[in-house]
Amino acid sequence: MRIALISDIHSNLEALTSVLKTIDLLDVDQIWCLGDVVGYGPFPGACVDMVRERCAVVLKGNHDAGTVDELPPTHFNEHGRIAVRWTKGQLTEEQSSYLKSLPLVAVLNGITVAHATPNLPATWRYILSWKDVREAFVGLSTEICFIGHTHVPVIVGDNGSLNTFRRGPRYIVNVGSVGQPRDGNPRASFGLFDSERWTYENIRVSYGVEKTAASLMAAGLPDYLAQRLFLGV
Ligand code: ZN
């Protein structure tokens, strides 16, 4: 099976549309979304509808949870908080209850998917160090796990390998962010996994950053949220 893995769309419709166009050329069987469909960006409702229509699996991220009152405002930094509050007013009741219904973690076809960590998904902890990696592997029952949350694409192996992929080790793979990359590369990020060939590729896609930034400012969202998109930070 060929699976496209998208995460952290953050209401960036331009980026999502460009990524889906690229995915449509890649002959994938399914698209899985690892959460944070909303938050930060200017088009939450349209992104929820598009993800719901196109993805076979959709998880809940912390910004999705915050938008449907499952996390307190204090969970977020100032910009995140402002965006969560704004996003709440943009969604229909139906879109909100859809976000509410999403799971935090799933195991399908021998693959684990989570937004933040597979072992403690509701703590929303970030996997940032080798200590975090080791802890995450402890609770992992599958050979491979895909995550998002940090917005930085990376592949870590339980043998201590970094950004290599082959048969043998178990892997936790961060697929990066569609709508707000933070690895210094402003292009949208997603993953392509082939479970038969056992290959994984991180793919980057250019999109209309200017358009998203202009819409973000027109919506009255913080300037910083627009500026960071140009830099990928
Ligand atoms: Zn996120």
Side-chain angles (χ1 to χ4, degrees):
M1 182 153 78
R2 277 161 71 80
I3 307 163
L5 298 129
I6 64 174
S7 189
D8 297 273
I9 290 120
H10 286 297
S11 308
N12 188 337
L13 187 63
E14 283 297 313
L16 177 61
T17 307
S18 298
V19 162
L20 290 174
K21 263 188 203 154
T22 302
I23 290 173
D24 286 341
L25 302 172
L26 290 173
D27 188 31
V28 307
D29 298 299
Q30 288 189 351
I31 307 172
W32 295 6
C33 173
L34 311 183
D36 274 3
V37 180
V38 302
Y40 295 130
F43 296 110
C47 287
V48 169
D49 292 346
M50 201 174 278
V51 162
R52 188 175 185 178
E53 188 193 317
R54 297 294 313 272
C55 298
V57 175
V58 184
L59 303 180
K60 189 189 291 172
N62 53 320
H63 287 257
D64 306 322
T67 300
V68 297
D69 296 319
E70 290 178 351
L71 276 176
T74 48
H75 171 85
F76 300 95
N77 65 29
E78 190 201 343
H79 296 118
R81 206 155 45 230
I82 292 167
V84 161
R85 199 187 313 128
W86 180 85
T87 302
K88 258 185 225 180
Q90 302 295 312
L91 297 181
T92 64
E93 216 155 285
E94 226 253 311
Q95 288 163 337
S96 296
S97 44
Y98 171 69
L99 289 182
K100 227 176 220 178
S101 75
L102 299 174
L104 300 186
V105 60
V107 181
L108 296 140
N109 300 19
I111 302 162
T112 302
V113 282
H115 180 69
T117 66
N119 50 332
L120 297 164
T123 63
W124 306 110
R125 273 168 57 182
Y126 292 89
I127 297 181
L128 297 170
S129 68
W130 283 108
K131 185 174 168 279
D132 302 333
V133 169
R134 276 194 299 276
E135 282 174 19
F137 271 118
V138 169
L140 191 63
S141 58
T142 57
E143 273 180 282
I144 188 152
C145 170
F146 294 103
I147 59 168
H149 199 39
T150 65
H151 300 204
V152 175
V154 67
I155 306 168
V156 291
D158 67 349
N159 59 344
S161 67
L162 197 61
N163 293 325
T164 60
F165 196 84
R166 60 178 175 84
R167 283 267 180 204
R170 292 193 301 154
Y171 288 107
I172 294 174
V173 178
N174 192 311
V175 303
S177 168
V178 169
Q180 196 197 75
R182 292 181 191 160
D183 60 341
N185 178 349
R187 291 180 297 157
S189 173
F190 73 97
L192 178 64
F193 175 59
D194 188 320
S195 61
E196 269 109 65
R197 290 189 184 153
W198 204 257
T199 55
Y200 175 79
E201 197 185 341
N202 178 244
I203 298 172
R204 306 304 287 256
V205 180
S206 298
Y207 73 95
V209 178
E210 301 79 8
K211 219 167 153 186
T212 296
S215 304
L216 218 149
M217 302 224 276
L221 288 160
D223 278 14
Y224 170 71
L225 294 177
Q227 295 315 317
R228 68 188 300 176
L229 296 177
F230 291 96
L231 305 171
V233 294

